Amino acid sequence: MTTSALRSDTPGLPDQGEARRAWQTAAEAIAEAERPIAGLPEPDRRSAGQRAAAAAARDAARAIRARFLDAHADAVYDHLTARRTVDLRLAELVTAAATAYPGLVPTTEQLAAERSRPQAAKEGHEIDQGIFLSRVLASPTAGRHLLDTMLLPTPRALRLLPDFERTGTADLGSVRIERRDDAAHLTMCRTDSLNAEDDRQVEDLETAVDLALLDPAVRVGVLRGGEMTHPRYRGKRVFSAGINLKSLHAGDISLVDFLLRREMGYIHKLVRGVRAEQPAHWRSATVEKPWIAAVDSFAIGGGAQLLLVFDQVIAAADSYLSLPAAQEGIVPGASNFRLGRAAGPRLSRQVILRGRRIRATEPDARLLVDEVVEPSGMDAAVERAVAELRGPAVVPNRHMLNVAEEPPEEFRRYLAEFALQQALRLYSDDVIGKVGRFTEGKQTEGEHPS
């Protein structure tokens, strides 16, 4: 598409021609600001003075990017999406931005080079993605369109759907899905890492959620952890150990494909449903279903975050929940948005800021868990929950509860701030140091529960 085709004389629409002219000036200033970095050694080989010089150069360039986007985010987004007629998922959007606005966000080549390095040796290019996406999400127009786009089913799910509808099963790698009667049972099966999440598991979980939502024979979804081969939990079911700290230390946890896609992809779909390809204008644009979580052993970090969006949570009596954000140094997804609504501000601060662990049998656990049963009774409890949630009035009522409890515009505004804050946290000195200590003797977050 040419620049001339992007100019708009329509009142109320962003002037893309003005944005392109402003970007030419901004791009030159960014290149000049970052020029000192080109002569420096790799990040992990820099002296203290060189690190300070690189940080100053990055700060100057990022200030220019932020000012440009503060003024032109809507025009940029409209350019990339042909005035919101093309649906670009997160990864596609940042790739398109790197091509159309060189220097605004990192290129595919820059990200590939970064991905080959441990977290401590990276330049931190993902922070520029965080700046870009925070400004896009801050826009009521562009941000809402991006969130709606992320509710579309993934191409992988659409490819697998006919076979899943026929067989009722799919093995996605880190997640298995099986339809039993009218319930889709999703089993997380990273057996050696206690279901610690990484980019691959986010991809598999979103595919599985899509299949459950798109299959007309499914009325209820169930998420549970499988039996582990990990030495400390061999033969036991585990729900989730949260983020895989070994992958984070190795530089294999990405801002876009993990931390943001997770929140805006499958977790968002658990709340809002999957967007229909051609919805009737007078009906809801999404297909929604009720969801049950069954917690065995523990739900740590990201595992505990998941529980906040489920319609019913069943926990084994010997299980516990925790959000060790203070130890990890990162922001625990949308928990800061949701936990206070579920459990109140005091408990939220105890859990998120001080790392309080809540055992399923504690009174406070009833704010987060619907039913606590002995481990031997989990299967029966899940079946009872499925029977309770398959009623025809459940879906419209859960829809209205979610509209009241989690208004889409409030979620969008939270994500706008989260995109930047989480990017900054990924590259903070304390996180890099803590992740390194975690992984010296412990493979994942889930390996140090007591």
Side-chain angles (χ1 to χ4, degrees):
M1 189 176 293
T2 64
T3 302
S4 60
L6 297 171
R7 288 198 295 268
S8 171
D9 297 323
T10 306
L13 289 177
D15 186 339
Q16 295 174 350
E18 179 185 343
R20 297 295 289 180
R21 292 188 294 273
W23 174 245
Q24 290 175 358
T25 301
E28 292 172 1
I30 289 169
E32 182 61 30
E34 292 184 334
R35 195 178 306 279
I37 300 174
L40 297 177
E42 295 297 316
D44 57 336
R45 297 180 180 176
R46 292 171 187 167
S47 66
Q50 289 170 332
R51 288 196 297 272
R58 290 286 182 213
D59 284 347
R62 285 167 180 156
I64 297 167
R65 291 185 181 99
R67 285 195 296 269
F68 168 75
L69 288 166
D70 286 341
H72 302 290
D74 276 331
V76 170
Y77 189 82
D78 273 8
H79 175 195
L80 300 176
T81 61
R83 297 210 183 282
R84 287 164 276 122
T85 62
V86 175
D87 295 312
L88 297 179
R89 289 174 60 84
L90 281 168
E92 296 169 325
L93 182 66
V94 294
T95 299
T99 300
Y101 297 86
L104 182 61
V105 293
T107 64
T108 302
E109 293 75 21
Q110 285 176 314
L111 290 172
E114 288 273 85
R115 196 67 184 264
S116 67
R117 302 167 178 166
Q119 197 70 14
K122 292 186 179 185
E123 198 72 68
H125 291 304
E126 285 180 303
I127 294 174
D128 299 317
Q129 291 181 324
I131 294 170
F132 170 64
L133 291 170
S134 72
R135 268 53 181 190
V136 168
L137 287 163
S139 162
T141 302
R144 182 59 184 268
H145 184 267
L146 178 56
L147 281 172
D148 286 347
T149 295
M150 291 300 292
L151 291 179
L152 286 169
T154 64
R156 183 186 181 200
L158 292 175
R159 289 195 305 271
L160 295 174
L161 182 60
D163 192 55
F164 177 70
E165 289 181 336
R166 180 177 59 83
T167 65
T169 63
D171 189 338
L172 305 173
S174 65
V175 181
R176 296 190 301 269
I177 178 171
E178 178 184 3
R179 186 179 62 240
R180 303 176 203 161
D181 296 325
D182 58 357
H185 292 258
L186 282 61
T187 304
M188 297 177 285
C189 50
R190 297 295 292 273
T191 60
D192 60 336
S193 64
L194 306 178
N195 288 325
E197 280 192 81
D198 54 16
D199 288 17
R200 171 62 190 277
Q201 189 154 336
V202 167
E203 161 75 22
D204 290 346
L205 276 166
E206 184 168 7
T207 302
V209 169
D210 282 348
L211 291 174
L213 290 169
L214 292 169
D215 182 358
V218 171
R219 298 178 69 178
V220 182
V222 179
L223 182 65
R224 193 174 183 185
E227 292 185 1
M228 299 292 106
T229 59
H230 185 283
R232 289 185 61 184
Y233 291 87
R234 191 180 305 278
K236 291 190 63 176
R237 284 185 180 267
V238 165
F239 188 72
S240 174
I243 191 171
N244 190 312
L245 291 173
K246 182 178 181 181
S247 294
L248 178 58
H249 176 61
D252 290 333
I253 295 293
S254 64
L255 176 70
V256 168
D257 289 324
F258 181 91
L259 293 163
L260 292 177
R261 177 180 177 178
R262 184 175 185 271
E263 299 302 327
M264 297 169 64
Y266 83 87
I267 299 180
H268 190 205
K269 288 173 176 176
L270 290 171
V271 178
R272 303 289 177 199
V274 68
R275 208 175 100 193
E277 288 293 327
Q278 293 180 325
H281 289 296
W282 58 276
R283 289 186 176 180
S284 173
T286 57
V287 177
E288 300 180 39
K289 292 171 186 177
W291 287 91
I292 299 161
V295 180
D296 299 277
S297 299
F298 50 75
I300 300 174
Q305 295 168 28
L306 284 177
L307 305 184
L308 300 174
V309 302
F310 278 79
D311 300 292
Q312 188 159 344
V313 178
I314 303 163
D318 60 352
S319 66
Y320 69 85
L321 321 174
S322 70
L323 282 166
Q327 293 120 299
E328 296 165 2
I330 59 176
V331 180
S335 296
N336 308 62
F337 176 67
R338 296 183 174 118
L339 184 58
R341 298 164 187 252
R346 296 268 55 85
L347 184 60
S348 297
R349 280 163 172 76
Q350 292 169 21
V351 170
I352 293 174
L353 303 183
R354 293 164 49 196
R356 177 183 168 185
R357 179 180 295 182
I358 299 179
R359 301 205 171 268
T361 52
E362 291 182 44
D364 281 345
R366 296 315 300 263
L367 297 169
L368 304 170
V369 172
D370 297 286
E371 184 178 5
V372 178
V373 300
E374 292 302 317
S376 60
M378 287 289 286
D379 290 344
V382 168
E383 292 307 311
R384 288 196 302 272
V386 168
E388 292 169 355
L389 291 180
R390 61 163 52 107
V394 168
V395 171
N397 277 289
R398 81 178 292 275
H399 173 82
M400 296 310 298
L401 284 167
N402 286 331
V403 167
E405 294 170 358
E406 191 170 304
E409 286 302 288
E410 290 188 22
F411 180 59
R412 177 188 60 75
R413 286 191 289 268
Y414 177 89
L415 284 178
E417 188 66 20
F418 172 75
L420 179 57
Q421 294 300 326
Q422 191 72 302
L424 292 170
R425 286 279 80 209
L426 269 183
Y427 292 93
S428 61
D429 291 340
D430 64 300
V431 167
I432 290 170
K434 287 174 183 176
V435 168
R437 289 195 294 275
F438 268 126
T439 54
E440 283 172 2
K442 304 174 177 107
Q443 181 178 349
T444 66
E445 178 186 354
E447 288 191 86
H448 54 82
S450 58

